[in-house]
Amino acid sequence: MQKREIFFLLSGILFAAVSYAQKIDSVLSLYHDNYQPEKIHIHFDKSTYSKGETIWFKAYILAGESISDYSRNFFVDWYDDGGKLIKHTVNPVFESSARAQFIIPANYAGEMLHLKAYTRWMLNFDTAFLYTKDIRVINSDTSAKSDRKPFIATSIHFFPEGGDLVNGVGSTVAFIANNQSGNPVAVRGAILNSKNELIDSFASVHDGMGSFSFEPSSKETYTCNWIDEYGTNHTSALPAAKNTGIAIESQLVNNKVVFAVKRSAEITDNLRSLHIVASMNQQMVYSAAINLGTKKISAGEIPTETFPTGVLQVTIFDANWLPLAERVLFVKNKQHQFFPELKMVTQRFGKRMRNEIEIYVPDTLSSNLSISVTDAGLIYDSSTNIFSQLLLQGDIKGYIPNAAEYFSKDDDDTRKYLDLVMLTHGWRRYKWDDIVKAKLPTLRYPMDSDYVQIKGKVYTNGQGTIRTGQNIALIMHGKDSSKQYFMLPLKQDGSFNQRGIIFFDTARLFYQLTGDKRLSDAVTVQFQYGLPLVPYAQVTKIPRFTEPDSLQLLNNYLFYSGIAKNKKSLDSGFTLQEVTVQSKLKSAIDILDEKYTTGLFSSRNSYSFDVIHDERTRGQIDVFHYLQNMIPGLSMSLPILGQNGVNDPNPNNVPGLDWRDGTPEIFLNETPSDAERTMGIPMSEIAYIKVFRPPFMSATGSGASGAIAIYTKKASDANTNFIKGLNNALITGYTPYKEFYSPDYTMPQSKLPDTRATLYWNPYVMTDKKARTVKLEFFNNDITKKFRIVLEGVNAAGKLARVEKVVE
């Protein structure tokens, strides 16, 4: 062959390789930008609970390395310890997070609760990555028993590095041993050949994991004899070896991945020219060609100093771009954190004494945090946290015991143990066969980009047709007697839709067509379910429950037994009694707040106005003129009249609001609204107004300039029967949510014993560049002598934070 022909042939091969790599890079970019799976971490107020008690928690939702904007609804399925569904809940997502609660049934007889948490978007992908958690329930009927049998059925699994053993090629083989509950078991053993000769010995070094070097031969057969920590002997087979193929060795050294690709002596043509691709978060970060035509081994390096913290996937392809081997490693560059500062401003351990916490976030980026304060004498599960869940467990299949320790330590042993985790756990966020073929995922569920929708269709029943411009008037009455008004246009087919509604529990929807009364009386309206439907994430087998430490379990049992002797559960006794006593002292503002506000609008970080009883509302033009005189710093730019009485710069005659260098969001009966819609409401119809200091996380925008919530009078305050005789339908909203009750002992209180295990819980502590410091207060109970404070959260850049302190 002529040199010129060889040159063009090699150039064509090189061009084809580069083109294929670019194609994979392009497809991965599509996956990253449009099909990024979400992952969840949940911050619980504590680790163990009593039956009848409330579990308080907050979910953080990420997509890749960033906070997610894919989902607006968060689902949780609660199962008993036999796998039976107890409850399905749904909560709205704000700022890529959701707060929620679950009340353990008072008659619950099990020792464990199992939950699966997910978004609808997550159900489009491998359900092995849904969030799961086992929660221990202290039950006097079962927890005090001491005749529990140990788990003794042990199994071992072998994982050749890269995926396959190849005859004549040395490889690292990792292993993991577990009992039938999935908990690690220590083992030791030996590899023997057909002559019963020792080839190598091995022993687990951490959480049932270990590794050994092994070079199989096609002329031999091998067995593995091993013994577990219970003294039981076992014999297992090693994975079968291939006669031709490749193996990969890799490790992280000094901010780079050092790898070597080895082949068998005899190979097929497709193994002579290989390709290596490294990817993170569905983005290609490295690619290169490997030539094994004339040599049996090829080595290289992948620099990692600029990579984010997380799972790095290294894949070897053959000449036809078919995947041959895969290795996952964990890059730990410490670029995943931001650092809130937490200190006790006032620290008192006496009975019912006031304490104050100060949180300071040095960053100018907005942050979204949650905080719990509990009795530090109780069990606390430190095996997982926001770092381990969102950076490791959310991307790796299978149970990882004590995952949090891989982020709390950074010594050589910890890095070695973390690499064993990577060798023994699967990672399959996407399939390479689909990537190479440029095949995009098939979505069963579209992006969940809205909250509750009020939608339906009007049927005229042959009595007429829907006119152009025809509207349907809706009045939504919540279970708490709140009401919202909607005037929705009808399409030609009679359909209508109102998006972005947030309400809890159920509401009754009254409706009437405007205009033609004859047609209005004749039509029927069919309403569709307003929340997105999802299948429950069914448990297919009895879930894995971690064995508790018997001494810790006893300590918890004694704590809860002490509460039980007082015949007051943490929620149903103490809290409700306290609320009853408090109600005698409630101010008019407190009564209005309980009557009109729900969920996040119940926050006391606000100015509140009792409009019903405020004489200053008389003579006010509208609500904004009223507020301008009441809120420090709130200004209103009035319309400027131009020539001939025309409003020049503001043709809609709508005032411009300014507060703290921005425009506050406006809500009417907790539904997003605007100045134009609300300024026309007569002051005589308004009952209550709240002006929230920034940031306000319920805002449809960033909430950086706070929010104004306006509440119109309920029927009990307005004394009207305006909905009498109207057709109506019952619709379902989000799972009901009650605010965490924290007593204020500066006010007269009940003398009943206060044995709250959770002293304070706040799922939304928000900071930004204008408000970096937050002060929180709580009161001790009657018995706690030291506090455990846990602060977790994310910032706008997707960086994570965790602070844990025991104060005594």
Side-chain angles (χ1 to χ4, degrees):
M1 185 179 291
Q2 298 292 326
K3 291 183 179 180
R4 182 182 178 87
E5 294 173 335
I6 295 175
F7 170 78
F8 282 115
L9 177 60
L10 292 176
S11 298
I13 294 173
L14 179 61
F15 176 77
V18 172
S19 297
Y20 237 110
Q22 290 175 342
K23 176 182 177 182
I24 289 178
D25 190 18
S26 298
V27 176
L28 279 176
S29 294
L30 286 174
Y31 271 64
H32 177 271
D33 295 340
N34 301 290
Y35 303 96
Q36 188 75 262
E38 291 177 316
K39 48 190 175 182
I40 290 172
H41 167 68
I42 296 181
H43 178 189
F44 294 91
D45 65 315
K46 52 196 181 79
S47 300
T48 55
Y49 299 84
S50 176
K51 58 183 181 180
E53 194 176 2
T54 298
I55 300 173
W56 304 93
F57 60 100
K58 178 183 179 180
Y60 294 93
I61 307 172
L62 264 64
E65 71 276 26
S66 305
I67 56 176
S68 175
D69 62 354
Y70 287 172
S71 298
R72 295 293 179 270
N73 302 290
F74 169 69
F75 303 89
V76 181
D77 298 336
W78 295 87
Y79 300 88
D80 65 16
D81 51 10
K84 180 182 177 181
L85 181 70
I86 301 174
K87 192 171 184 178
H88 173 75
T89 64
V90 56
N91 299 89
V93 173
F94 300 104
E95 301 289 337
S96 304
S97 61
R99 67 173 187 175
Q101 63 191 206
F102 176 74
I103 301 175
I104 303 172
N107 61 349
Y108 188 69
E111 295 180 68
M112 284 288 183
L113 285 168
H114 181 83
L115 71 87
K116 280 184 177 287
Y118 52 96
T119 64
R120 189 167 67 155
W121 181 255
M122 293 173 70
L123 297 178
N124 287 310
F125 308 98
D126 192 338
T127 56
F129 292 101
L130 301 185
Y131 179 92
T132 62
K133 178 75 173 180
D134 302 327
I135 297 177
R136 177 158 288 280
V137 178
I138 304 299
N139 195 321
S140 59
D141 298 331
T142 58
S143 297
K145 295 180 181 180
S146 59
D147 58 349
R148 298 177 64 90
K149 296 181 180 179
F151 293 107
I152 57 174
T154 307
S155 59
I156 192 169
H157 301 277
F158 298 98
F159 300 89
E161 184 174 8
D164 294 315
L165 287 174
V166 180
N167 286 323
V169 179
S171 298
T172 296
V173 179
F175 63 87
I176 185 171
N178 305 97
N179 61 26
Q180 70 260 39
S181 288
N183 295 316
V185 176
V187 296
R188 54 186 172 86
I191 308 298
L192 305 174
N193 63 13
S194 59
K195 301 177 183 177
N196 212 33
E197 296 173 337
L198 178 66
I199 302 300
D200 201 358
S201 60
F202 62 87
S204 58
V205 294
H206 181 71
D207 282 342
M209 299 180 295
S211 65
F212 56 88
S213 298
F214 181 54
E215 182 178 324
S217 170
S218 60
K219 300 178 182 180
E220 272 290 356
T221 58
Y222 304 93
T223 57
C224 174
N225 295 335
W226 54 282
I227 184 171
D228 63 30
E229 64 182 64
Y230 307 115
T232 305
N233 290 293
H234 306 264
T235 298
S236 299
L238 292 175
K242 295 182 175 181
N243 288 323
T244 60
I246 65 162
I248 183 174
E249 289 184 357
S250 58
Q251 59 180 324
L252 279 161
V253 180
N254 297 327
N255 291 323
K256 58 188 175 184
V257 175
V258 179
F259 67 86
V261 180
K262 300 179 288 185
R263 68 169 176 83
S264 56
E266 300 295 329
I267 57 171
T268 53
D269 289 340
N270 65 311
L271 299 182
R272 297 182 183 278
S273 297
L274 307 178
H275 312 279
I276 182 170
V277 170
S279 60
M280 293 188 78
N281 296 314
Q282 300 190 145
Q283 287 184 304
M284 183 185 292
V285 295
Y286 175 86
S287 66
I290 298 174
N291 185 358
L292 290 181
T294 58
K295 53 186 178 181
K296 293 184 179 181
I297 185 170
S298 179
E301 297 179 352
I302 303 173
T304 63
E305 63 269 12
T306 61
F307 294 174
T309 297
V311 175
L312 174 70
Q313 181 181 13
V314 179
T315 308
I316 308 298
F317 298 87
D318 70 4
N320 300 317
W321 286 92
L322 297 176
L324 297 174
E326 183 178 84
R327 171 75 153 97
V328 289
L329 303 101
F330 195 86
V331 177
K332 193 175 178 183
N333 282 343
K334 301 181 182 179
Q335 298 178 11
H336 57 282
Q337 286 182 264
F338 70 105
F339 300 93
E341 299 172 8
L342 185 153
K343 67 178 181 179
M344 294 290 296
V345 178
T346 304
Q347 176 180 317
R348 297 173 180 172
F349 296 99
K351 288 185 177 182
R352 309 190 179 193
M353 297 298 290
R354 177 182 174 277
N355 292 267
E356 185 175 358
I357 298 171
E358 181 179 283
I359 299 169
Y360 173 70
V361 180
D363 293 347
T364 58
L365 293 174
S366 60
S367 66
N368 178 3
L369 307 166
S370 53
I371 185 171
S372 62
V373 183
T374 57
D375 188 313
L378 297 177
I379 296 175
Y380 185 73
D381 179 11
S382 59
S383 63
T384 184
N385 58 38
I386 193 169
F387 299 135
S388 63
Q389 182 62 44
L390 293 178
L391 298 174
L392 178 61
Q393 292 165 286
D395 283 327
I396 294 291
K397 289 185 179 181
Y399 171 56
I400 304 175
N402 306 310
E405 72 177 4
Y406 301 118
F407 296 87
S408 62
K409 303 175 184 177
D410 197 31
D411 54 87
D412 290 341
D413 284 342
T414 301
R415 287 192 289 270
K416 176 183 176 182
Y417 301 155
L418 179 55
D419 197 48
L420 286 174
V421 171
M422 310 310 291
L423 284 164
T424 56
H425 290 74
W427 193 98
R428 287 294 183 276
R429 277 294 191 185
Y430 46 82
K431 299 177 180 179
W432 276 117
D433 290 345
D434 290 345
I435 298 289
V436 172
K437 296 175 183 177
K439 181 181 178 182
L440 299 177
T442 300
L443 299 180
R444 293 172 295 165
Y445 305 97
M447 191 176 296
D448 187 9
S449 58
D450 203 356
Y451 298 110
V452 179
Q453 296 187 43
I454 298 178
K455 55 185 178 180
K457 191 171 184 178
V458 174
Y459 295 89
T460 61
N461 300 317
Q463 300 299 312
T465 58
I466 302 296
R467 295 181 291 103
T468 301
Q470 181 77 56
N471 295 323
I472 184 171
L474 303 176
I475 305 171
M476 187 172 75
H477 273 235
K479 206 169 185 179
D480 60 351
S481 298
S482 63
K483 61 180 181 290
Q484 299 184 45
Y485 306 91
F486 306 96
M487 186 70 69
L488 305 182
L490 295 179
K491 295 181 180 179
Q492 199 64 40
D493 64 353
S495 62
F496 59 89
N497 186 17
Q498 172 65 48
R499 303 178 60 184
I501 306 299
I502 296 177
F503 70 97
F504 296 85
D505 209 333
T506 57
R508 189 158 292 279
L509 205 58
F510 296 84
Y511 59 91
Q512 186 175 49
L513 260 64
T514 61
D516 189 344
K517 188 176 187 305
R518 180 184 62 81
L519 182 61
S520 181
D521 293 338
V523 302
T524 57
V525 179
Q526 181 178 355
F527 290 94
Q528 299 176 23
Y529 188 64
L531 281 168
L533 294 173
V534 298
Y536 300 157
Q538 297 290 348
V539 172
T540 56
K541 61 180 181 180
I542 295 177
R544 177 196 58 77
F545 294 129
T546 305
E547 278 293 284
D549 178 272
S550 58
L551 180 59
Q552 289 184 328
L553 184 56
L554 178 61
N555 289 338
N556 256 35
Y557 175 63
L558 292 175
F559 181 90
Y560 284 113
S561 295
I563 297 173
K565 289 177 182 178
N566 293 319
K567 298 182 179 180
K568 302 291 177 183
S569 71
L570 293 176
D571 291 327
S572 60
F574 173 81
T575 301
L576 292 179
Q577 182 66 32
E578 291 297 299
V579 171
T580 302
V581 174
Q582 280 280 77
S583 65
K584 298 177 182 178
L585 303 171
K586 289 176 183 175
S587 66
I589 287 290
D590 291 333
I591 294 172
L592 284 172
D593 206 75
E594 288 188 5
K595 186 174 184 179
Y596 280 90
T597 67
T598 62
L600 299 166
F601 290 87
S602 301
S603 169
R604 296 304 177 95
N605 185 32
S606 63
Y607 298 98
S608 301
F609 302 97
D610 175 6
V611 181
I612 293 176
H613 303 104
D614 192 347
E615 295 292 331
R616 291 169 293 185
T617 62
R618 295 183 179 180
Q620 293 290 347
I621 299 174
D622 55 49
V623 65
F624 301 114
H625 282 84
Y626 170 74
L627 290 176
Q628 187 179 23
N629 299 321
M630 310 293 288
I631 303 297
L634 178 66
S635 62
M636 180 170 60
S637 59
L638 297 176
I640 302 174
L641 291 178
Q643 294 182 358
N644 302 320
V646 177
N647 297 326
D648 212 357
N650 199 342
N652 294 320
N653 199 32
V654 177
L657 299 177
D658 183 83
W659 192 37
R660 300 194 179 188
D661 301 323
T663 302
E665 301 284 341
I666 298 175
F667 292 84
L668 177 61
N669 296 319
E670 301 184 357
T671 300
S673 187
D674 53 43
E676 183 178 3
R677 292 172 59 189
T678 52
M679 68 180 296
I681 301 174
M683 291 299 295
S684 60
E685 293 185 11
I686 297 175
Y688 187 44
I689 301 173
K690 296 186 77 171
V691 180
F692 295 93
R693 300 177 180 89
F696 180 62
M697 56 74 58
S698 270
T700 53
S702 64
S705 297
I708 300 173
I710 302 167
Y711 296 87
T712 54
K713 290 179 180 178
K714 296 184 178 181
S716 58
D717 292 324
N719 296 319
T720 61
N721 295 309
F722 62 93
I723 61 172
K724 184 176 180 179
L726 293 184
N727 294 321
N728 63 85
L730 191 67
I731 59 174
T732 301
Y734 291 105
T735 302
Y737 184 88
K738 68 173 184 178
E739 293 291 331
F740 178 83
Y741 175 69
S742 183
D744 180 358
Y745 283 123
T746 62
M747 304 288 289
Q749 297 286 333
S750 167
K751 295 183 179 180
L752 290 172
D754 181 353
T755 52
R756 292 168 296 131
T758 300
L759 303 172
Y760 184 76
W761 166 252
N762 190 337
Y764 281 107
V765 179
M766 314 293 286
T767 69
D768 61 14
K769 64 180 180 180
K770 295 181 181 179
R772 301 186 193 180
T773 301
V774 178
K775 290 187 177 181
L776 308 168
E777 72 168 27
F778 69 93
F779 291 83
N780 193 15
N781 57 25
D782 293 343
I783 58 177
T784 294
K785 299 303 178 185
K786 57 182 179 179
F787 309 135
R788 183 186 304 277
I789 306 173
V790 177
L791 179 74
E792 290 190 327
V794 301
N795 69 11
K799 292 186 181 295
L800 314 176
R802 177 181 169 84
V803 179
E804 179 180 348
K805 286 188 176 182
V806 174
V807 182
E808 55 186 324

